[in-house]
């Protein structure tokens, strides 16, 4: 069964500093990987996705993620965070195994921005 | 296009009461999903549907029923609500078997007293 691990429950970063959120997945074949962001009281917004090809993926709001097959990782990065980036971030993996599988989500990382 | 919408946004129930959550999508997507989100647990799949008239169980289906009578709507029912069903419920849709990306609704916050 596929699984996603986000090792950091909370991360605190100063505004203007760089950010890296970790995501490790377990899946037997090439995964389809996603990062979603959830602002307080809001739904999930897709930041970026990886299906195939270039392992460095660019997303919205200045985020990027790098797929590393050898490390089973898909870490999210941003060179300079803004106060508005404070939110919950979810990594997810999907597959076409039976054609209809839902996404498997990590438990999330809560990002706090210090002024 | 409204995308994926959910009704209601908030609801408070007493233990034993029943209710139905409505999810609607206007993207002509084949697949639809219901997830629940609990603190520290991420999102977990409750039920899903691969087309009109079809439903299937996900990871945490107990205590819930679903129906997909129309392609654009996916209903989640709680026949006898329990405090353990206090959660935020998200609906999502997906275009078809090939397209993996899911589009999420804004969520329904349900409290069972």
């Amino acid at each position: 069964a596929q699984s996603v691990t986000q090792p950091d429950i909370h991360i605190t970063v100063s505004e203007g500093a760089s950010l890296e959120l970790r995501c490790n997945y377990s899946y037997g074949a090439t995964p389809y990987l996603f990062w979603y962001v959830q602002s307080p009281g809001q739904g999930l917004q897709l930041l970026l996705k990886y299906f195939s090809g270039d392992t460095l993926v660019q997303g919205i709001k200045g985020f990027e993620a790098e797929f590393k097959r050898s490390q089973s990782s898909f870490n999210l990065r941003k060179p300079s965070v803004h106060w508005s980036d404070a939110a919950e971030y979810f990594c997810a993996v999907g597959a076409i195994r039976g054609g209809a599988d839902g996404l498997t989500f990590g438990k999330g990382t809560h990002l706090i921005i210090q002024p | 296009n409204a995308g994926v919408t959910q009704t209601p946004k908030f609801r408070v129930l007493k233990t034993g009461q029943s209710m139905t959550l409505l999810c609607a999508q206007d993207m002509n997507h084949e697949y639809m999903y219901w997830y629940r989100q609990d603190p520290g647990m991420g999102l977990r799949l409750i039920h899903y549907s691969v087309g009109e008239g079809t439903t299937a169980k996900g990871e945490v289906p107990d205590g819930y029923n679903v129906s997909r009578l129309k392609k654009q709507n996916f209903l989640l029912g709680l026949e006898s609500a329990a405090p353990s069903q206090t959660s935020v419920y998200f609906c999502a849709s997906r275009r078809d078997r090939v397209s993996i990306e899911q589009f999420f609704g804004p969520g329904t916050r349900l409290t069972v007293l």
Side-chain angles (χ1 to χ4, degrees):
Chain A
Q2 58 204 46
S3 65
V4 176
T5 301
Q6 294 180 245
D8 304 304
I9 298 174
H10 300 278
I11 281 189
T12 301
V13 178
S14 297
E15 190 169 14
S18 63
L19 170 71
E20 182 170 31
L21 302 183
R22 295 184 291 164
C23 172
N24 293 98
Y25 68 90
S26 173
Y27 182 61
T30 300
Y32 296 80
L33 295 160
F34 305 83
W35 273 101
Y36 285 87
V37 61
Q38 183 182 30
S39 298
Q42 302 299 311
L44 278 75
Q45 181 181 22
L46 180 67
L47 282 175
L48 46 78
K49 57 192 176 188
Y50 171 78
F51 289 168
S52 64
D54 193 347
T55 57
L56 184 62
V57 180
Q58 301 297 320
I60 62 171
K61 303 185 178 185
F63 286 92
E64 67 177 26
E66 186 171 11
F67 171 61
K68 293 185 177 179
R69 184 187 300 276
S70 62
Q71 298 178 18
S72 297
S73 69
F74 189 56
N75 294 349
L76 182 71
R77 300 193 295 247
K78 187 170 185 178
S80 177
V81 298
H82 186 262
W83 64 266
S84 59
D85 294 324
E88 192 85 16
Y89 291 80
F90 293 97
C91 181
V93 62
I96 314 184
R97 188 173 62 238
D101 293 36
L103 299 178
T104 298
F105 284 83
K107 294 183 178 181
T109 297
H110 184 60
L111 176 63
I112 300 167
I113 307 296
Q114 282 185 335
Chain B
N1 286 353
V4 180
T5 58
Q6 294 183 230
T7 308
K9 289 184 170 54
F10 303 93
R11 185 73 185 267
V12 178
L13 291 179
K14 295 181 180 178
T15 297
Q17 287 185 319
S18 64
M19 78 162 294
T20 300
L21 282 65
L22 170 63
C23 176
Q25 52 95 4
D26 61 1
M27 298 174 283
N28 201 35
H29 285 180
E30 293 294 331
Y31 293 3
M32 296 185 75
Y33 302 82
W34 275 108
Y35 294 87
R36 60 176 289 172
Q37 182 185 29
D38 302 293
M41 299 294 292
L43 276 75
R44 293 179 292 169
L45 183 63
I46 304 172
H47 286 280
Y48 63 95
S49 166
V50 300
E52 184 177 320
T54 72
T55 63
K57 294 180 180 180
E59 180 186 354
V60 289
D62 294 342
Y64 304 96
N65 57 76
V66 288
S67 64
R68 183 104 181 265
L69 299 180
K70 294 182 178 180
K71 185 177 182 179
Q72 63 267 34
N73 295 337
F74 194 28
L75 306 178
L76 178 71
L78 287 72
E79 289 187 347
S80 179
S84 61
Q85 294 177 303
T86 293
S87 187
V88 181
Y89 292 86
F90 287 100
C91 176
S93 70
R94 170 181 155 186
R95 190 181 70 205
D96 53 30
R97 181 185 185 279
V98 175
S99 178
I100 303 299
E101 184 176 348
Q102 294 185 16
F103 297 81
F104 285 82
T108 295
R109 184 174 296 275
L110 175 65
T111 301
V112 183
L113 302 176

